[in-house]
Amino acid sequence: MRHVLAPFPGVDELAAPSRLRTAPRPFALGQPITGPAKRVAALRALGVETRGDLIDELPFRFEDLTAQQTIAEAILSGEDEVTVIGRIGSITERPTRRRGLRILQTRLSDDTGELALTWFNQRHLARTLEPGTRLVARGALKVGARGAELTVRSHEVLDDPDGVQVGPGLIPVYHASSQISTGVLRGLVAEALTDLIDGVPDPVPVDLRLRHRLPLRRDALKAGHQPRTRNAFQSARRRLAYEELLLLQLALLRHRREADDRAGAIALGSPGELSTAYRAALPFELTGAQARALESIERDLDSDQPMQRLLEGDVGSGKTAVAFAALVRAVEAGGQGALMAPTEVLALQHLRGAERLLEPLGIEIAYLSGDVPEKERRARRARIAAGQPLIAIGTHALLHTEFPDLRVLVVDEQHRFGVAQRAKLAKSDGPVPHVLHMTATPIPRSLALTAFGDLDLSVIDELPPGRKEIKTSVVPEAKREDGYRWIVEQVHAGRQAYVVCALVEENPEVEARAAEEEAARLATGPLKDLHVACAHGQMPAADRQRVMADFAAGKIDVLVATTVIEVGVDVPNASVMVVEDADRFGLAQLHQLRGRVGRGQEQSYCLLYSSAEPTPEGRTRLDALVKHTSGFALAEIDLEMRGEGRLLGEAQSGRTDLRYARLHSDRRLLDRARDDAARLLREGGDAILEQAADERFGELIAALRRA
Ligand code: ADP
Ligand code: MG
């Protein structure tokens, strides 16, 4: 994580520079970089093509010279954490007792005194730091019999021969590389600022600037690089973040409007008798949140503008009942509906639900997935191709099916599908279907508005009544056997348990083998009197489904599995979830796994087995899971810990390629930008802003258009 290195909590987390540039910069200052070819190449490798790029990227942290003391002051101060400036002597290197660890040492001196400087594992410094170099060093000071010794946490070279001489105050630190030092970068940025800053245009119209009391872009950039105080940096970054979010929201909302204008859907009118019958047949009352989501969907379906709605709801929040209601509307209107799930397990489960809830209403269901025999599949495809009113349920197999009259499409766990795949089903010459995207990965609202800002959003933030909170605990290795004894007790009390095996990075085969071995170990060891079975993604689909079905039917006590059970499995009698090496899983994934239990009336438990020494991040994740049960709370923590880029995975990460905004801390700024963008478009748009939005987010919009 980037900001672990930063010496000043609070300052570094502000800028989130991204070196992955795909789109041209807004109103980019296109002056090419000149100078030695090696330097130009080094800058290009950092994503810097023009001098404008140099100033578009804010420092990722600052070295605070205002906190500095003379060496004598530092030694006398008795403080543990000090900042001193001085010149270094020659550097010596020696190994430590711990294997592989190297220590670098030198002396640092100023007019008042001298101390020993120590770095751990920074061997390259021996090559880059010349004796006599002036630097600022910050770290832990120990004063002992052998004198004063400073273990360096961070340092900056103050007089790089090619860099700028830095004065007092906050010294910007940029992401450098082995080819170009931060000192040289600092010099180039300072030069570019001096030369270019007066010509920096500002796309944000003056009325918005006044309303939100924002400085000019020009002044924000200057203060972002050379702030006098940390507060000055804060305001500068916020100004740039606001602009960035405004441009992004403009781009997304404009794309949405164009898409709406391009393609029409069939308005489904208001709900009729079949819908009433469906509601009456549900074995429960909808929760308030479900009802609200359904209301919004009804409103969407009543229009000939195609619905593009994201339905977000925690695991077990009851998205299926809402989705079925939308699908019923398609059939009720004499058309077709389709529900696409990412895995066979999940598709099958939807099929079971549909057989229970929809078939009794006389609705035809057509199940399509890879494991349906070819002949049967062809027959079902023929029914669909004939335009028969029905609801198709399946996996990717649905993508190869032609729907002559598709009115409503539900895509479950939409983040698992590429944008293009989604589009394939939805695209046809005639009217397009209304589309409901569902996800059980609670995405913070800010992230949803950014990554899926072209979709409308419904959130089911309430669980059906009567759910007991799942009790979660972290089980250290020493208590492992106690955990097993306790599982045996639970099973004797009539419950069932899952054991999810450790994640094997990108190797499903090894992972599957590990699960089989673990199942065998448990079945012959600690759980030998119980019926233990194994399920993983490498098994033939039919075998896996049989195991899952046996587990659902209560014929298996303990299901040892890889993460194939992550998505959607619903076995209400399972009340214990054990996760091996839990500290290595992501927060969202752990939350998903935990959501497999707690679906029935019994008290449920989640046991997080943790390795002896989890990383600090792993530890934080486990603690968060013990403390929070709401997926939305956990998602906010995840956003705070990991930043926005990685939350969405590969497919969508480019969509939040934000340079200044931090979605966790900038939530209010984002809402403001969203409102402003919507109002601007309602009031006829703003040519300059829209041009800037095209420049900055053109690639994103192009990707959305292809979809
Ligand atoms: P998810 O949002 O994870 O897809 P499901 O739709 O699978 O959740 O619902 C989880 C469980 O809750 C199911 O067993 C479902 O029948 C039940 N359920 C859904 N809505 C309600 C409700 N309003 N009241 C009671 N139980 C409900
Ligand atoms: Mg579901």
Side-chain angles (χ1 to χ4, degrees), residues 282-288 290-291 311-323 346 349-350 356-357 412-413 438-440 460 462-467 568-572 592 595-596 598-601:
L282 279 179
F284 44 72
E285 290 284 314
L286 293 184
T287 62
Q290 281 172 315
L311 181 62
E312 259 201 85
D314 222 329
V315 261
S317 62
K319 292 182 294 296
T320 315
V322 174
L346 197 52
Q349 195 172 303
H350 283 311
R356 215 165 44 233
L357 287 170
D412 199 4
E413 299 300 338
M438 300 202 289
T439 174
I460 306 188
E462 175 186 356
L463 291 181
R467 295 276 167 83
V569 179
D570 191 10
V571 180
Q592 285 269 353
R596 297 306 108 215
R599 306 197 142 211
Q601 294 309 307

Side-chain angles (χ1 to χ4, degrees), residues 38-43 45-46 176-182 184-185:
K38 245 180 93 181
R39 173 182 291 178
V40 172
L43 285 170
L46 287 174
S177 69
S178 57
Q179 308 301 312
I180 190 162
S181 74
T182 184
V184 171
L185 268 175

Side-chain angles (χ1 to χ4, degrees), residues 440-571:
T441 307
I443 305 167
R445 203 184 101 83
S446 60
L447 187 55
L449 280 185
T450 309
F452 306 110
D454 54 330
L455 307 181
D456 295 310
L457 184 63
S458 285
V459 176
I460 306 188
D461 51 4
E462 175 186 356
L463 291 181
R467 295 276 167 83
K468 291 208 176 77
E469 232 168 55
I470 301 165
K471 293 195 174 143
T472 304
S473 36
V474 178
V475 182
E477 201 48 43
K479 295 257 174 81
R480 172 173 287 277
E481 298 303 320
D482 295 349
Y484 291 137
R485 269 195 291 282
W486 188 78
I487 291 173
V488 173
E489 267 172 44
Q490 288 289 307
V491 170
H492 285 152
R495 307 284 94 74
Q496 290 165 280
Y498 296 100
V499 175
V500 175
C501 289
L503 203 61
V504 180
E505 210 82 23
E506 280 160 39
N507 197 334
E509 272 147 48
V510 178
E511 195 168 286
R513 214 174 327 118
E516 276 170 10
E517 282 164 14
E518 177 67 1
R521 186 184 77 82
L522 292 174
T524 54
L527 304 181
K528 64 176 176 308
D529 297 326
L530 309 184
H531 190 172
V532 179
C534 183
H536 56 71
Q538 302 289 300
M539 288 162 78
D543 292 358
R544 191 169 67 236
Q545 275 158 27
R546 191 168 33 73
V547 174
M548 296 300 233
D550 284 352
F551 186 67
K555 290 186 214 158
I556 293 169
D557 299 322
V558 177
L559 182 66
V560 180
T562 56
T563 50
V564 287
I565 60 154
E566 181 188 339
V567 187
V569 179
D570 191 10
V571 180

Side-chain angles (χ1 to χ4, degrees), residues 11 31 51 63 97 100 102 126 207 212 224 239 244 257 277 288 343 359 368 382 447 479-480 524 538 542 584 620 693:
V11 172
Q31 262 190 44
R51 296 185 82 202
E63 198 66 63
R97 259 167 297 163
R102 311 288 295 187
D207 59 323
H212 302 314
R239 155 67 173 86
E244 181 170 52
R257 202 163 69 174
T343 65
E359 272 183 352
L368 278 179
L447 187 55
K479 295 257 174 81
R480 172 173 287 277
T524 54
Q538 302 289 300
R584 289 169 54 192
T620 306

Side-chain angles (χ1 to χ4, degrees), residues 274 277-278 281 351-365:
L274 193 58
Y278 168 74
L351 173 66
R352 301 281 167 260
E355 284 168 351
R356 215 165 44 233
L357 287 170
L358 303 179
E359 272 183 352
L361 304 174
I363 296 172
E364 178 175 346
I365 306 294

Side-chain angles (χ1 to χ4, degrees), residues 584-660:
R584 289 169 54 192
F585 286 79
L587 206 43
Q589 205 172 13
L590 287 170
H591 177 66
Q592 285 269 353
L593 288 170
R594 180 169 63 177
R596 297 306 108 215
V597 297
R599 306 197 142 211
Q601 294 309 307
E602 303 304 326
Q603 176 62 53
S604 287
Y605 303 88
C606 177
L607 305 185
L608 303 170
Y609 279 30
S610 150
S611 53
E613 281 181 65
T615 61
E617 286 87 13
R619 186 74 231 177
T620 306
R621 287 195 294 268
L622 296 184
D623 290 345
L625 220 70
V626 169
K627 182 152 170 243
H628 297 279
T629 49
S630 151
F632 286 96
L634 291 169
E636 281 293 344
I637 294 172
D638 214 11
L639 181 61
E640 197 180 352
M641 283 180 74
R642 297 206 294 167
E644 34 280 351
R646 292 170 53 198
L647 279 191
L648 293 166
E650 286 301 312
Q652 272 120 7
S653 64
R655 297 182 128 201
T656 56
D657 201 0
L658 296 173
R659 199 176 305 140
Y660 308 113

Side-chain angles (χ1 to χ4, degrees), residues 71 85-89 107-115:
I71 289 176
I85 294 179
R87 290 191 190 279
I88 57 167
R107 314 271 320 159
L108 183 81
S109 55
D110 67 6
D111 297 341
T112 67
E114 166 172 284
L115 45 70

